[in-house]
Amino acid sequence: MRVYNFAAGPSTLPLDVLQKAQQEFLDYNGTGMSVIEMSHRSKPFMEINTRAQENLRKLMDIPEDYYILFVQGGASQQFAAVPLNLLKTGKADYLLTGNFATKAYEEALKYAPVTAVCSSKDKNFTYIPDLKTVKFNDDADYTHFTYNNTIFGTRFSEIPNVKNTLVTDMSSNILSEVIDVSKFGLIYAGAQKNIAPSGLTIVIVKKDLVDNGNPHPLCPTMLKYSTQAKADSLYNTPNTFSIYMANLVFEKLLKDGGVPAMQKINEEKAKLLYDFIDNSKLFINPVQKKDRSLMNVVFNTGNEDLDAKFCKEAGQNGIVSIKGHRLSGGMRASIYNAMPIEGVKHLISFMEKFELENK
Ligand SMILES: *Cc1c(COP(=O)(O)O)cnc(C)c1O
């Protein structure tokens, strides 16, 4: 029996995509072999690689003057790749809105004295700082922010309006809502949250930043965006399986109405859950309302023992991986694109029952 898996990542994938992969697993498209057995330079795999890029371009309406790169090393590797490729003057601004945002900042600090222009650490990252009060450095090479803070359940409801290159980590909200790619210099995302199995990282970067870039002299060849761009992301052996799975997800999303359709359902799912929490006498969501994430809904009862009991009993009711991250405690429901609305409704009815039984 399939459970409702609320894990933050790796996370649930669409059942029809898993079934298609299963059906093609031993013999991909009449090749007589599995997609994981074929050369990454074979015609069928190169076709998958190209189609995945084309489909992502369609889904996110990515302009032609952006490269789409499929790399490895996770979003965490991009914490280093971004400064190594984009720093010129040695100045960059970082918005510290959570654990990953802070890690990105600390990694960049190895290469240059970059600036933390704001932080919401004073309230355990339960809000996004008011952007109007942030002093950005116009002469910095780029401004980095984490669009959706997976652990703390916050998200930027508007993007920073800066004069330099905007860089964002969209690991946990890529393809969940419509965004204007042309506002960004670089977008990166680990695939294992809202797209595909782990091991694939997507980088969408303005061609100009790569073609006219000046990476750090010690930037590893593998981390240079120009290496990957020139080789069409096939400089070395990529994670072929994850690229294949990503393409299946892209095809499904295109068939289902694309990102606008996903956004509508995601807003509906999040509203159901937040409305329930706001009306509950047991559960609270600690996040400032306008900054609430559509993808990661954090909540708790204010009592650690009761939270533990909740997670245990949830498991007995087909609701798994609902425990919050240790840094924020309580519970977290990750409700990515692949979580059906039925899963959210099932969670809410379990929460209702739990509240009645634990008054
Ligand atoms: C999960 C996550 C990361 C870390 O991703 P890896 O691919 O495991 O390196 C970074 N940033 C955000 C926003 C995340 O959600």
Side-chain angles (χ1 to χ4, degrees), residues 8-9 73-79 99-101 103 146-151 169-173 188-193 198-201 296 332 336:
S76 303
Q77 183 83 288
Q78 293 307 308
F79 298 167
N99 185 51
F100 293 117
K103 283 185 167 166
T146 310
Y147 210 129
N148 182 77
N149 296 278
T150 324
I151 294 176
D169 176 355
M170 284 193 81
S171 290
S172 49
N173 69 330
Y188 64 89
Q192 71 274 21
K193 277 140 190 166
S198 60
L200 167 66
T201 311
N296 309 98
R332 168 177 53 179
Y336 300 121

Side-chain angles (χ1 to χ4, degrees), residues 103-319:
K103 283 185 167 166
Y105 165 67
E106 286 169 353
E107 191 69 26
L109 270 182
K110 290 184 177 173
Y111 306 106
V114 299
T115 312
V117 285
C118 63
S119 167
S120 49
K121 191 164 192 255
D122 58 339
K123 291 188 184 152
N124 199 30
F125 300 118
T126 51
Y127 69 103
I128 301 293
D130 181 358
L131 294 176
K132 285 194 283 300
T133 67
V134 179
K135 272 214 151 88
F136 292 102
N137 296 298
D138 290 349
D139 60 344
D141 296 324
Y142 63 87
T143 302
H144 178 282
F145 75 104
T146 310
Y147 210 129
N148 182 77
N149 296 278
T150 324
I151 294 176
F152 299 96
T154 65
R155 135 184 180 275
F156 282 76
S157 51
E158 53 171 338
I159 60 174
N161 183 10
V162 293
K163 299 215 162 51
N164 49 42
T165 298
L166 198 54
V167 175
T168 192
D169 176 355
M170 284 193 81
S171 290
S172 49
N173 69 330
I174 190 167
L175 296 176
S176 71
E177 58 180 307
V178 176
I179 61 147
D180 180 353
V181 174
S182 72
K183 294 228 158 37
F184 298 86
L186 191 149
I187 296 169
Y188 64 89
Q192 71 274 21
K193 277 140 190 166
N194 211 13
I195 299 180
S198 60
L200 167 66
T201 311
I202 289 169
V203 177
I204 300 161
V205 57
K206 202 151 195 198
K207 286 182 177 169
D208 175 53
L209 289 171
V210 178
D211 298 343
N212 301 313
N214 183 22
H216 190 286
L218 292 179
C219 179
T221 307
M222 278 291 292
L223 291 196
K224 270 188 203 165
Y225 296 132
S226 56
T227 305
Q228 303 294 351
K230 270 181 224 144
D232 200 18
S233 299
L234 296 171
Y235 175 75
N236 75 329
T237 319
N239 184 333
T240 53
F241 183 65
S242 196
I243 293 171
Y244 159 76
M245 290 295 290
N247 187 49
L248 292 185
V249 170
F250 297 156
E251 283 173 357
K252 176 193 164 57
L253 292 181
L254 284 167
K255 190 169 65 95
D256 290 352
V259 181
M262 284 303 116
Q263 176 170 348
K264 192 161 165 281
I265 301 169
N266 288 331
E267 283 169 351
E268 196 183 334
K269 288 186 307 194
K271 184 173 187 320
L272 280 177
L273 193 45
Y274 284 122
D275 281 353
F276 173 76
I277 293 169
D278 289 343
N279 289 315
S280 150
K281 291 200 171 54
L282 181 64
F283 300 104
I284 63 143
N285 166 272
V287 173
Q288 179 166 302
K289 276 193 183 162
K290 74 173 183 43
D291 304 327
R292 285 172 163 179
S293 168
L294 286 180
M295 295 282 96
N296 309 98
V297 178
V298 296
F299 57 97
N300 66 72
T301 64
N303 172 336
E304 278 181 31
D305 295 335
L306 205 52
D307 288 349
K309 185 172 181 231
F310 179 91
C311 295
K312 181 161 172 271
E313 291 179 12
Q316 293 155 356
N317 283 273
I319 295 165

Side-chain angles (χ1 to χ4, degrees), residues 14-42:
L15 182 59
D16 47 354
V17 164
L18 294 174
Q19 282 166 334
K20 177 141 192 334
Q22 180 183 47
Q23 177 210 323
E24 300 183 327
F25 192 66
L26 296 183
D27 179 4
Y28 173 75
N29 205 12
T31 56
M33 65 174 93
S34 174
V35 74
I36 64 169
E37 298 173 298
M38 60 181 62
S39 162
H40 58 297
R41 312 219 179 264
S42 65

